[in-house]
Amino acid sequence: MSLILRGFLLFILIYLISDIFVLKSSFGISFDGVNSTLFGNEELYIDAINEASFLEFWHTQIFFIMMILLTLSSIFIRVANRSRAILTNALMLSAIASLISLPLAFYLSNFFTNIYVITYFFWHAIALYMILYALWKLNATSV
């Protein structure tokens, strides 16, 4: 089972890293990039994203984040002894804050784009740490 878990953790690691590059090229990962996608930019002749496209993007984000977080958390809780509750809760709360701040930015105010970008990178950083720690623990126990 350890080999399967290591392979799965490697796939999650590859997904998280590629998610940053995909989001950079399609939606934006900076404050200005996300604002340009959501609200457009007249100087660069960029139209704002339409509501249907935004909701489709948000819907797929909810699904993929849910699947990644639930599977990663179940593996991490199994292998970690200390700080597993703190890291798991921080991961879940920052991912939920990221998901909630995106429609708030689209429908209410561009202030929430700042929260979206910060929480997006925060949950990715926690997830990357959890993956690397779980891989380390799985390798340490199998040797």
Side-chain angles (χ1 to χ4, degrees), residues 2 5 12 16 41 46 85 87-88 90 97 136 138 142-143:
S2 176
L5 289 177
I12 295 174
L16 286 177
N41 188 333
I46 298 174
L87 284 173
T88 304
W136 177 71
L138 286 171
S142 66
V143 174

Side-chain angles (χ1 to χ4, degrees), residues 1-2 5 26 57-58 74 108 111 136:
M1 193 68 175
S2 176
L5 289 177
S26 64
F57 171 78
W58 189 51
S74 66
L108 294 179
F111 166 76
W136 177 71

